[in-house]
Amino acid sequence: MTPMLRKRFGIPEERVGAVDARIVPGSLAYLAGLKEGVIITKVDNVAVNSAQEAQNALEKASLEQGVVLQLQYPDSGVGYVMIKSSAGR
């Protein structure tokens, strides 16, 4: 996560993960209800510390079966969301 994204979304230094900086309308993330500024901390129960790690984990996962994301919200709350595609990867 870049210093610019941390500043933009008010994310403290101690938080790690992949920040959703831009949610594309119609994407699986958008349809699952993800919002800009939310941090993805785990992909299918595997911790991710960067956008690249999150992308790699998502590429290995089966979107047809569904992928569970653990999220850290700006107010420090934690949540979970499943993203799933009927078309697969």
Side-chain angles (χ1 to χ4, degrees):
M1 180 176 339
T2 66
M4 188 170 69
L5 286 175
R6 285 187 183 283
K7 183 176 181 180
R8 178 178 167 194
F9 295 111
I11 300 169
E13 283 292 321
E14 65 273 6
R15 290 207 191 141
V16 295
V19 67
D20 284 323
R22 183 172 165 261
I23 303 295
V24 177
S27 68
L28 291 176
Y30 176 87
L31 296 173
L34 270 68
K35 304 287 186 208
E36 293 179 355
V38 171
I39 302 169
I40 299 171
T41 56
K42 291 185 181 181
V43 176
D44 271 349
N45 211 29
V46 175
V48 294
N49 295 307
S50 68
Q52 186 62 54
E53 287 183 13
Q55 182 66 35
N56 291 344
L58 285 167
E59 287 174 359
K60 292 177 186 174
S62 171
L63 291 176
E64 193 171 271
Q65 290 180 330
V67 177
V68 176
L69 304 179
Q70 180 177 318
L71 310 172
Q72 178 80 49
Y73 295 100
D75 67 356
S76 298
V78 175
Y80 298 87
V81 66
M82 177 180 275
I83 56 174
K84 189 173 182 177
S85 170
S86 59
R89 293 179 190 227

